[in-house]
């Protein structure tokens, strides 16, 4: 049993829509807090940690819309919620916000002992503290408002690198990052920042030119969370 409490903005079951696990039934754990400052972020409600916005877990589970309210939960409490909610998925995606602001080892260790697989989605700007078995998706956020650098340790720990693109500059930034950190064999996924045709066409052509892979945020196309 672990007593470590995590700041949880959302907890829900769905289908993973991005990267290597696209199509995988998954339980998403969305943590509160992120200082990175991505301009296109679609979860800005997770950025600030306001202790006045703590709510009971039942209220967090039944939120009807995105909000900055969050709950304090241990891994064991989350596992109990999974059971109570009747969740069937055995893959867990820990996202945010920026989940690696905290040590995720106790969280992943608990779930792995219960038979779940774990995946972390991170910007690569904080040390990744987790179990050896955990799948780490680094979505490097380069030159963002928060001023955080992409860490060498994060790039080397990544099981996949999933990069948002809308312009040629984003592609150039990624190529420089891969070169700077000597990344050669990690699978690379390009993800159009929007569903707009220009961004998608750029991502497709770049994937073909570099033998990379495409991630199209399937959940947005089919209209699920």
């Amino acid at each position: 049993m672990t007593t470590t409490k995590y700041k949880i903005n959302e907890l829900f079951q769905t289908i993973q829509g991005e990267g290597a696990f696209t199509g995988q039934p998954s339980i998403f754990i969305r943590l509160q807090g992120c200082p990175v400052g991505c301009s296109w972020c679609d979860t800005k409600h997770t950025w600030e940690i306001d202790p006045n916005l703590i709510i009971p877990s039942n209220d967090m589970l039944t939120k009807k819309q995105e909000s900055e309210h969050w709950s304090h939960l241990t891994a064991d409490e989350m596992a109990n919620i999974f059971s109570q909610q009747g969740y069937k998925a055995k893959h867990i995606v820990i996202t945010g916000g920026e989940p690696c602001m905290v040590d995720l080892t106790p969280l992943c260790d608990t779930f792995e002992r219960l038979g779940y697989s774990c995946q972390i989605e991170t910007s690569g700007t904080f040390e990744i503290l987790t179990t050896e078995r955990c799948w780490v998706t680094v979505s490097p956020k380069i030159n963002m408002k928060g001023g955080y650098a992409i860490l060498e340790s994060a790039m080397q720990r990544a099981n996949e690198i999933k990069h948002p693109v809308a312009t040629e500059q984003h592609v150039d930034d990624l190529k420089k990052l891969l070169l700077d950190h000597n990344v050669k064999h990690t699978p690379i996924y390009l993800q159009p920042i929007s569903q707009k045709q220009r961004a998608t066409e750029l991502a497709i052509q770049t994937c073909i030119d570099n033998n990379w892979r495409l991630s199209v945020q399937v959940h947005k196309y089919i209209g699920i969370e």
Side-chain angles (χ1 to χ4, degrees):
M1 177 178 291
T2 175
T3 58
T4 304
K5 285 185 174 285
Y6 295 90
K7 299 174 178 65
I8 309 300
N9 181 280
E10 288 185 282
L11 194 161
F12 58 93
Q13 181 176 246
T14 186
I15 297 292
Q16 169 63 290
E18 302 178 0
F21 286 94
T22 295
Q24 176 79 42
S26 303
I27 299 168
F28 273 69
I29 299 173
R30 188 179 303 284
L31 274 65
Q32 188 75 18
C34 182
V36 178
C38 304
S39 59
W40 63 82
C41 178
D42 56 6
T43 57
K44 291 183 179 181
H45 59 285
T46 66
W47 286 8
E48 301 300 326
I49 300 174
D50 185 343
N52 295 314
L53 296 178
I54 300 177
I55 57 176
S57 59
N58 284 341
D59 293 343
M60 181 268 294
L61 289 168
T62 56
K63 285 195 293 187
K64 300 299 183 184
Q65 59 186 12
E66 295 177 349
S67 79
E68 296 179 331
H69 292 86
W70 54 277
S71 297
H72 240 163
L73 296 171
T74 66
D76 294 302
E77 288 170 335
M78 284 182 254
N80 287 335
I81 289 173
F82 298 169
S83 178
Q84 293 165 7
Q85 295 293 312
Y87 291 163
K88 303 297 184 183
K90 300 300 289 184
H91 182 69
I92 290 173
V93 181
I94 304 165
T95 185
E98 173 45 69
C100 291
M101 290 172 65
V102 298
D103 185 352
L104 297 171
T105 307
L107 185 64
C108 293
D109 181 65
T110 297
F111 289 135
E112 287 172 357
R113 285 189 286 105
L114 291 172
Y116 294 91
S117 59
C118 293
Q119 174 185 3
I120 294 169
E121 296 182 340
T122 176
S123 63
T125 57
F126 287 81
E127 292 291 342
I128 300 169
L129 302 176
T130 188
T131 58
E132 289 185 6
R133 291 170 54 195
C134 180
W135 182 275
V136 175
T137 302
V138 173
S139 182
K141 302 304 190 293
I142 305 168
N143 298 326
M144 293 296 118
K145 183 178 179 181
Y148 288 82
I150 310 301
L151 301 183
E152 168 74 16
S153 60
M155 294 297 289
Q156 297 305 321
R157 177 60 179 84
N159 295 104
E160 64 176 334
I161 293 171
K162 177 166 60 68
H163 190 60
V165 294
T167 67
E168 292 283 359
Q169 184 62 54
H170 295 141
V171 175
D172 292 342
D173 289 343
L174 175 60
K175 288 181 177 180
K176 183 178 185 304
L177 186 71
L178 297 176
L179 183 63
D180 289 347
H181 294 287
N182 196 31
V183 175
K184 295 180 179 178
H185 304 297
T186 307
I188 309 297
Y189 287 81
L190 290 192
Q191 186 163 286
I193 289 177
S194 68
Q195 281 74 53
K196 293 181 180 179
Q197 183 176 355
R198 181 171 177 271
T200 302
E201 289 177 349
L202 171 63
I204 291 171
Q205 189 58 54
T206 305
C207 285
I208 293 171
D209 291 343
N210 295 275
N211 199 30
W212 293 343
R213 306 177 188 184
L214 184 70
S215 175
V216 294
Q217 295 185 294
V218 169
H219 55 292
K220 292 187 177 180
Y221 279 95
I222 63 178
I224 62 173
E225 188 170 14

